Amino acid sequence: MSSYNNFIFKDYDFNPKSKNLRLYYSYDGILEFSESYKFDFDYIDYNPLVLDKAIQSLYFMAGISYFKAYLAPNILIDRGELNVGMSEFYSKTYQKGLAEFFYVNKLDPNTEINFPVNDDNSSKLEHNEGKGLLIGIGGGKDSLVSVELLRDSGLDITTWSLSHRQQLEPLINVIDLPHLWVDRTWDRSMLDHNARDAYNGHIPISAIFACVGTIVAILSGKQDVIVSNESSANEPDLMYEGVEINHQYSKSLEFEKEYQKYLSENINNTSYFSFLRPLSEVHIAKLFAKVGFEKYKDVFSSCNRAFTHDSTHTFWCGKCPKCAFTFLALTPFIGRTELESIWGKNLLLDPTLDITYKKLLGIEAEKPLDCVGDIKESRAAMRLAQKKYSVLNKYKFDIPADYNYLELSSHSMPEEILEFLYNKLKSFN
């Protein structure tokens, strides 16, 4: 039972001179939270009505960070407009995006989250300035594969990132494309509430990333917001109380299509899609070995511990499931010496990671709740790694006879971009 009755979307304010956006939330008008974003780049002469609609999408999505703290049964809107379609989109995204949160906190994942409807207007605005691609950079191999495959496409390409500027700057310098920085400052009072009585846990951060990307597109005059989510993000990690728990829900094709629908109904001439959606993680690792490893080996990382709020530089911890899986996925395609020079050891031969690998392979316990490949991918990579290290034959597992990590999966990207990707892939065969 929540100690508060209402979670309130109170207000938002964007100041183009300071380039700061501030979002305000409250519980019962008693407990206040706010967070801010700085869009630190030059703006085009944007349409303020289009920008306001995009800001509201972030305003409603980013509220999930504070809503989860006390899970008030009612949602109220002091400022902002939601029609039926918008309400359904946020209700579903909160529900599915918080599934892992409910599981970890031993809460009912069927708890209803209902956004109100306070507007019957379904009109669509035009982002007339939209042209060119915005590629989101998170620090890991996937977005770098997107950059390198699209670099010679002849399209207008700009990269952008959300927070972690100090960690990402060396990587951005190596990419050497126009880059747009966005800094997020979340309400640090949440740390005190978490230490006392607030719930804590995973949120669908990639959904927030998507909404920020739309604002960046409008302010910078770009059209397509491109992310680098792979096919395995679609796979649930486990079932809990009859509900699928997917750590990567906001990276899934389901969410991608939901957000595309949201944009198509509200802001014309801007889109959001994953360029790597048809590919498996192991396939992406193979591509990275060809187009990016030598170039980025000293500056890339997708280790979650390198991107915590108190981290100042990128690194690989060599202990977490993300490190373990990345090392495994790259092993078939990159030499032992090169990989060990990055991690300082061979993770596949580290006895402390034996249980982690058994979980990744689906041999023991549950798959780690992290952004890692699905079980079939991990097994395919391990089968290839076993050819390099016979000691790894201790891992006993089966792979479906018809599984091929190079097989392409479903997607939701424009046909011309898909054709370019397919032609690129053919050039590597």
Side-chain angles (χ1 to χ4, degrees):
M1 180 71 69
S2 175
S3 51
Y4 299 94
N5 292 318
N6 305 296
F7 180 75
I8 307 169
F9 289 87
K10 285 188 65 66
D11 201 2
Y12 59 90
D13 177 70
F14 177 64
N15 185 329
K17 290 185 177 180
S18 66
K19 302 186 176 182
N20 283 313
L21 168 65
R22 198 156 191 90
L23 312 176
Y24 301 91
Y25 310 98
S26 172
Y27 277 98
D28 290 342
I30 300 170
L31 183 60
E32 310 284 345
F33 294 106
S34 69
E35 70 176 44
S36 63
Y37 295 77
K38 184 169 185 177
F39 296 85
D40 195 15
F41 50 86
D42 293 332
Y43 306 159
I44 64 161
D45 186 18
Y46 58 84
N47 182 332
L49 295 178
V50 175
L51 178 65
D52 183 72
K53 184 154 280 195
I55 284 174
Q56 286 198 44
S57 73
L58 175 59
Y59 168 59
F60 288 116
M61 191 65 75
I64 198 167
S65 297
Y66 309 100
F67 171 79
K68 72 174 173 56
Y70 294 104
L71 297 176
N74 303 307
I75 293 175
L76 304 180
I77 301 173
D78 279 0
R79 185 180 178 196
E81 293 80 40
L82 292 182
N83 59 33
V84 172
M86 294 172 173
S87 171
E88 291 174 349
F89 169 70
Y90 291 111
S91 297
K92 180 177 181 179
T93 303
Y94 272 48
Q95 192 86 41
K96 293 205 165 191
L98 289 176
E100 178 184 325
F101 164 86
F102 284 118
Y103 167 71
V104 171
N105 285 283
K106 296 181 172 57
L107 301 170
D108 183 1
N110 295 291
T111 301
E112 290 192 2
I113 300 174
N114 295 311
F115 274 74
V117 175
N118 65 353
D119 183 32
D120 58 5
N121 181 12
S122 58
S123 63
K124 181 165 53 176
L125 297 176
E126 294 285 335
H127 175 41
N128 294 322
E129 303 299 327
K131 60 180 181 179
L133 309 180
L134 270 176
I135 303 178
I137 302 297
K141 68 184 185 325
D142 296 3
S143 57
L144 297 175
V145 168
S146 290
V147 165
E148 293 306 318
L149 293 186
L150 286 164
R151 188 184 288 274
D152 63 355
S153 64
L155 300 170
D156 175 19
I157 297 176
T158 299
T159 60
W160 76 281
S161 58
L162 177 60
S163 299
H164 310 298
R165 186 166 183 161
Q166 192 170 358
Q167 294 101 312
L168 290 174
E169 207 146 27
L171 174 62
I172 299 305
N173 290 338
V174 176
I175 292 174
D176 195 28
L177 286 170
H179 187 80
L180 307 179
W181 297 99
V182 184
D183 297 311
R184 178 193 183 205
T185 304
W186 51 274
D187 197 322
R188 294 296 193 268
S189 72
M190 276 301 305
L191 296 173
D192 295 329
H193 290 286
N194 289 337
R196 295 200 301 269
D197 57 352
Y199 290 116
N200 194 15
H202 176 73
I203 62 166
I205 189 65
S206 295
I208 295 175
F209 192 95
C211 295
V212 175
T214 301
I215 296 175
V216 175
I218 290 163
L219 290 173
S220 64
K222 305 302 177 184
Q223 179 178 14
D224 296 324
V225 179
I226 295 181
V227 291
S228 304
N229 303 325
E230 74 296 331
S231 61
S232 63
N234 303 325
E235 181 182 271
D237 298 280
L238 55 97
M239 293 291 293
Y240 170 59
E241 301 290 342
V243 174
E244 292 183 344
I245 309 298
N246 183 358
H247 174 81
Q248 301 190 80
Y249 171 72
S250 58
K251 289 185 175 182
S252 69
L253 181 59
E254 180 179 357
F255 171 79
E256 183 177 327
K257 288 182 174 180
E258 290 283 342
Y259 190 57
Q260 287 174 346
K261 180 174 182 287
Y262 179 94
L263 289 175
S264 71
E265 293 174 349
N266 292 283
I267 304 175
N268 203 25
N269 201 31
T270 186
S271 65
Y272 168 87
F273 61 87
S274 172
F275 181 62
L276 303 183
R277 178 65 66 194
L279 279 58
S280 73
E281 275 278 30
V282 183
H283 195 171
I284 294 169
K286 183 177 183 179
L287 291 172
F288 182 65
K290 292 182 177 180
V291 304
F293 180 76
E294 279 301 316
K295 184 175 182 178
Y296 297 112
K297 62 184 179 182
D298 296 325
V299 289
F300 88 107
S301 175
S302 55
C303 175
N304 293 333
R305 298 182 186 183
F307 293 96
T308 58
H309 66 271
D310 56 352
S311 177
T312 59
H313 64 285
T314 56
F315 58 87
W316 295 93
C317 74
K319 301 176 182 177
C320 68
K322 196 76 172 285
C323 281
F325 176 76
T326 304
F327 194 98
L328 169 62
L330 292 175
T331 289
F333 315 112
I334 295 173
R336 175 174 182 170
T337 301
E338 290 121 307
L339 284 183
E340 290 181 0
S341 68
I342 292 175
W343 275 270
K345 61 179 178 179
N346 193 308
L347 272 61
L348 287 169
L349 308 181
D350 183 347
T352 67
L353 290 172
D354 183 61
I355 295 298
T356 299
Y357 280 116
K358 286 180 178 178
K359 290 181 178 180
L360 288 169
L361 295 166
I363 296 172
E364 185 173 306
E366 298 166 348
K367 174 186 168 186
L369 291 169
D370 210 330
C371 295
V372 295
D374 64 31
I375 289 171
K376 291 191 297 293
E377 288 177 322
S378 294
R379 290 183 175 185
M382 183 61 78
R383 188 72 83 216
L384 293 172
Q386 287 172 335
K387 296 177 181 179
K388 285 192 171 186
Y389 307 103
S390 60
V391 68
L392 298 179
N393 290 322
K394 65 181 179 178
Y395 296 117
K396 308 295 183 183
F397 52 83
D398 295 318
I399 303 177
D402 61 349
Y403 178 71
N404 178 3
Y405 74 85
L406 295 174
E407 184 177 344
L408 302 178
S409 301
S410 301
H411 67 89
S412 188
M413 71 177 83
E415 284 302 317
E416 64 273 16
I417 299 292
L418 179 68
E419 183 179 358
F420 176 82
L421 173 61
Y422 283 0
N423 287 334
K424 271 292 189 182
L425 295 177
K426 289 177 184 176
S427 72
F428 291 116
N429 293 336

